[in-house]
Amino acid sequence: MAPSTKDLRILYQRSGNRCAFPKCTKSLTYDETPSGSPTALSEVAHIVAQSPDGPRGSYPMPLEERDGYHNLILLCEEHHHVVDDNWPTYPVEMLRRWKAEHEQAMSLATEQA
């Protein structure tokens, strides 16, 4: 399976074009390309891996729920690798907290007075 278009749209919209890794200020779009066509730098990461063999994959979550919005976090390429290559340091609860805090911060930053 793969994340649905709806779930991906919600993830991107709530992420505000920024990586959810704490204190990462990277924009997830690079506009200054020679062709003038923007390049996407974002990576959709699974909080609990799609398969039981992947990072945090042994966490008790049904396989059919692993591609849903609530199990996805938007990261830059660098931090996606850091989080997955060092997965014991980045448990499920931590990534869920990051996602919630990041999306709340993006909502507050874009809220109109």
Side-chain angles (χ1 to χ4, degrees), residues 95-106:
L95 297 179
R96 286 180 176 166
R97 186 179 71 250
W98 286 1
K99 177 181 177 172
E101 290 172 354
H102 177 73
E103 290 183 356
Q104 182 180 23
M106 292 299 105

Side-chain angles (χ1 to χ4, degrees), residues 1 7-8 13 22 30 32-33 35 41 44 46 50 57 67 73-74 80-81 102 105 112-113:
M1 280 185 67
D7 285 343
L8 289 174
Q13 290 166 352
Y30 185 77
E32 298 175 25
T33 63
S35 68
L41 304 174
V44 175
H46 286 80
Q50 282 179 303
D67 282 325
I73 186 169
L74 198 64
H80 187 185
H81 289 289
H102 177 73
Q112 294 188 4

Side-chain angles (χ1 to χ4, degrees), residues 49-98:
Q50 282 179 303
S51 74
D53 300 349
R56 297 165 301 277
S58 64
Y59 189 86
M61 174 184 266
L63 291 176
E64 61 272 8
E65 293 178 16
R66 295 185 180 206
D67 282 325
Y69 162 76
H70 295 291
N71 191 47
L72 304 174
I73 186 169
L74 198 64
L75 300 171
C76 65
E77 181 180 11
E78 175 185 358
H79 287 123
H80 187 185
H81 289 289
V82 168
V83 165
D84 281 357
D85 289 351
N86 302 284
W87 63 268
T89 305
Y90 301 101
V92 170
E93 294 76 15
M94 177 184 288
L95 297 179
R96 286 180 176 166
R97 186 179 71 250
W98 286 1

